[in-house]
Amino acid sequence: MNFMNLIFFVMKKIGILGFQGAIIEHERQIKAIGHEPVIVKYPEQLEEIDGIILPGGESTTMGKILNRTGLMEPLRGKIQSGLPVWGTCAGMILLAKELVNDSVTHLGVMDIAVRRNAYGSQIDSFATKKVIPAVDSKEIELVFIRAPYITSVKDGVKILCELDGHIVAAEEKNMLVTSFHPELTDNTAFLKYFVSKI
Ligand SMILES: NC(=O)CC[C@H](N)C(=O)O
């Protein structure tokens, strides 16, 4: 960190939805760039965070737990009133207003249509590299695990990355989504991009 960054560095409290999935991986990256992770399980915790990550995992399970714990409504309300949120993989599914191959939606706040398990069962995990200009000028490793992709977006959604004609990263106002898992690599560029929006 250079001197100017040190002067202007403000530590942020970054929540991670803490029920299931890639929680410790996000926690590790948040600490690595000098911010404070908060594992969120209760509605009151939404008051103390500057942004929240919805991790990869299993979206149906996370949706059920969000409902059972009473976190679904307050989390939706916070996001709708501007809380910065980044959904990775299952997190993208939780945020989508439409799931093209599922009748149930969850938070349903982002104007994207998403296909779950879009890469099928045979090649359901793979990694590739790509430059995402809005995020970093260098190549980023993209890790896909039983990943969804976005099949269509409405006005107001900015596409950040496409792979083989499918949308795998996008943003709309305070909401950012990725099909892939930057937290499973050593590259913190995507996390820094999210923090820059807080
Ligand atoms: N790595 C992931 O988050 C996979 C998402 C999972 N396939 C789901 O539908 O929830």
Side-chain angles (χ1 to χ4, degrees):
M1 198 179 285
N2 68 32
F3 185 61
M4 289 306 277
N5 281 346
L6 202 60
I7 291 176
F8 293 111
F9 187 80
V10 178
M11 197 177 76
K12 305 274 168 56
K13 284 191 172 188
I14 302 175
I16 308 164
L17 184 64
F19 297 135
Q20 194 261 339
I23 300 163
I24 52 171
E25 291 82 356
H26 278 295
E27 190 177 22
R28 180 180 60 89
Q29 280 207 342
I30 292 167
K31 285 183 182 160
I33 65 164
H35 295 287
E36 185 185 338
V38 178
I39 309 295
V40 174
K41 292 185 179 177
Y42 305 102
E44 313 82 77
Q45 292 174 290
L46 296 175
E47 305 306 323
E48 57 169 277
I49 54 174
D50 301 304
I52 187 164
I53 294 173
L54 311 180
E58 216 290 316
S59 54
T60 308
T61 308
M62 281 195 250
K64 281 185 187 153
I65 305 175
L66 278 170
N67 281 319
R68 205 178 307 142
T69 55
L71 194 55
M72 184 72 94
E73 286 306 320
L75 178 58
R76 182 183 291 125
K78 278 281 173 189
I79 294 170
Q80 283 170 331
S81 51
L83 180 71
V85 59
W86 172 23
T88 50
C89 203
M92 168 194 273
I93 297 167
L94 292 177
L95 289 168
K97 276 193 186 168
E98 188 190 338
L99 300 177
V100 295
N101 55 347
D102 200 331
S103 53
V104 183
T105 55
H106 304 283
L107 289 159
V109 286
M110 187 167 176
D111 256 334
I112 52 174
V114 168
R115 180 177 298 281
R116 293 184 64 190
N117 301 321
Y119 293 94
S121 53
Q122 277 172 317
I123 341 167
D124 51 15
S125 301
F126 63 97
T128 186
K129 284 186 177 170
K130 210 164 157 65
V131 175
I132 304 178
V135 174
D136 201 356
S137 56
K138 294 194 272 305
E139 272 192 335
I140 298 178
E141 189 183 1
L142 310 179
V143 179
F144 293 79
I145 302 170
R146 292 169 61 80
Y149 60 61
I150 299 171
T151 56
S152 64
V153 301
K154 296 250 168 76
D155 289 350
V157 177
K158 183 178 165 199
I159 296 168
L160 296 176
C161 181
E162 286 184 70
L163 193 69
D164 302 328
H166 301 300
I167 304 162
V168 293
E171 64 188 342
E172 179 188 8
K173 293 180 282 191
N174 54 315
M175 299 172 280
L176 172 68
V177 288
T178 55
S179 296
F180 47 85
H181 291 266
E183 79 285 3
L184 299 183
T185 73
D186 287 331
N187 190 316
T188 52
F190 226 99
L191 175 60
K192 287 182 184 150
Y193 180 67
F194 174 56
V195 174
S196 77
K197 295 164 68 68
I198 296 180

